[in-house]
Amino acid sequence: LKRLPTLIRTYQDVKNKWLADHPKLFLGVDAPDFNLRLEHRLKSAGIPTIHFVGPSIWAWRYERIHFIKQAVSHMLVLFPFEEAIYCKENIPVTYVGHPLADAISIEPDKTSARNRLGLEINSRILAILPGSRSSEIKLMAPRFLQAAQQLVKRDPSLICVVPMVNAHRETEFNKILKLYPVPNLRCVSATPDQAAGRPIAWDVLEACDVSLV
């Protein structure tokens, strides 16, 4: 709510700029609550609109597709199954692939990832990813840790590894961990030289046998 006036002002400024000086097309990237509303207004004024990253209508609130149809001249989607959804509604669509497809190996190198993280090569490892935002940690970490407690009871040798995006999130997580202690749980954070490169969560996912996300 505090940011709402700024968001409304930004929306009005961008809308007025492009209505006054029509671009050849408008390409909105993600941020559907903002961009689709803007695209709807621009398309009504005769400006072709393209939207990159389809909202997850396949998971929830499918009815949004009717507004998308009004707002978008062409959709660019990340996943191949999304094409059929938009084709069914007669919305022009192109599957372009996911930006991370070339950044993450198709075949994980579990041994190398475990060596990088200092984990035992032959251990059974559960990755726990409660999120990178404060609200996600507060809402999901208790349930995730309760699930981990049950799994460790079944297999006391199980190692749980939790990647942390920064020290502040780790502090928040550790407060919750005290309420729901899990034996053999290790938090791992990116080193300063890693922070600007490969996310630590990728290493943890590559190293694990199974993940809780």
Side-chain angles (χ1 to χ4, degrees):
L1 288 175
K2 289 180 180 178
R3 296 186 60 200
L4 191 57
T6 300
L7 291 170
I8 292 174
R9 185 168 60 251
T10 302
Y11 170 80
Q12 294 292 350
D13 288 347
V14 175
K15 180 192 70 174
N16 292 336
K17 172 182 173 58
W18 295 125
L19 288 177
D21 182 15
H22 281 206
K24 292 182 179 179
L25 66 83
F26 178 86
L27 171 64
V29 180
D30 208 3
D33 290 330
F34 183 93
N35 277 324
L36 287 174
R37 186 174 286 105
L38 179 59
E39 288 156 9
H40 183 269
R41 184 66 184 85
L42 298 180
K43 186 182 177 186
S44 299
I47 299 169
T49 56
I50 298 177
H51 189 84
F52 174 54
V53 184
S56 51
I57 53 174
W58 40 269
W60 64 297
R61 287 175 57 201
Y62 180 85
E63 69 276 3
R64 288 177 292 172
I65 199 164
H66 304 299
F67 183 72
I68 292 172
K69 187 173 185 177
Q70 297 172 359
V72 174
S73 305
H74 199 105
M75 285 293 300
L76 304 178
V77 296
L78 303 183
F79 304 109
F81 67 83
E82 291 179 288
E83 268 194 325
I85 297 173
Y86 288 95
C87 286
K88 177 185 173 185
E89 302 290 347
N90 295 314
I91 300 173
V93 59
T94 302
Y95 159 59
V96 297
H98 199 290
L100 294 181
D102 294 326
I104 299 176
S105 299
I106 293 176
E107 294 296 332
D109 187 346
K110 187 180 294 186
T111 298
S112 177
R114 291 186 178 196
N115 284 332
R116 289 195 299 273
L117 295 170
L119 299 171
E120 293 81 350
I121 299 299
N122 297 318
S123 296
R124 296 183 71 194
I125 294 177
L126 168 69
I128 301 177
L129 280 75
S132 59
R133 302 174 184 174
S134 180
S135 59
E136 292 173 330
I137 297 291
K138 291 175 183 176
L139 290 169
M140 293 193 285
R143 296 292 181 265
F144 280 24
L145 291 173
Q146 287 174 306
Q149 286 175 332
Q150 295 185 45
L151 293 170
V152 171
K153 284 181 181 178
R154 298 181 187 180
D155 180 7
S157 67
L158 183 68
I159 295 175
C160 301
V161 183
V162 188
M164 285 291 142
V165 68
N166 56 42
H168 184 61
R169 292 291 173 268
E170 186 169 354
T171 298
E172 293 176 337
F173 179 81
N174 282 331
K175 288 180 181 178
I176 299 172
L177 181 60
K178 288 180 180 179
L179 301 175
Y180 307 96
V182 177
N184 294 334
L185 185 144
R186 307 178 190 179
C187 287
V188 293
S189 300
T191 61
D193 59 323
Q194 290 174 320
R198 178 185 173 92
I200 192 68
W202 292 11
D203 285 335
V204 172
L205 286 170
E206 190 170 21
C208 75
D209 296 296
V210 67
S211 58
L212 181 60
V213 299

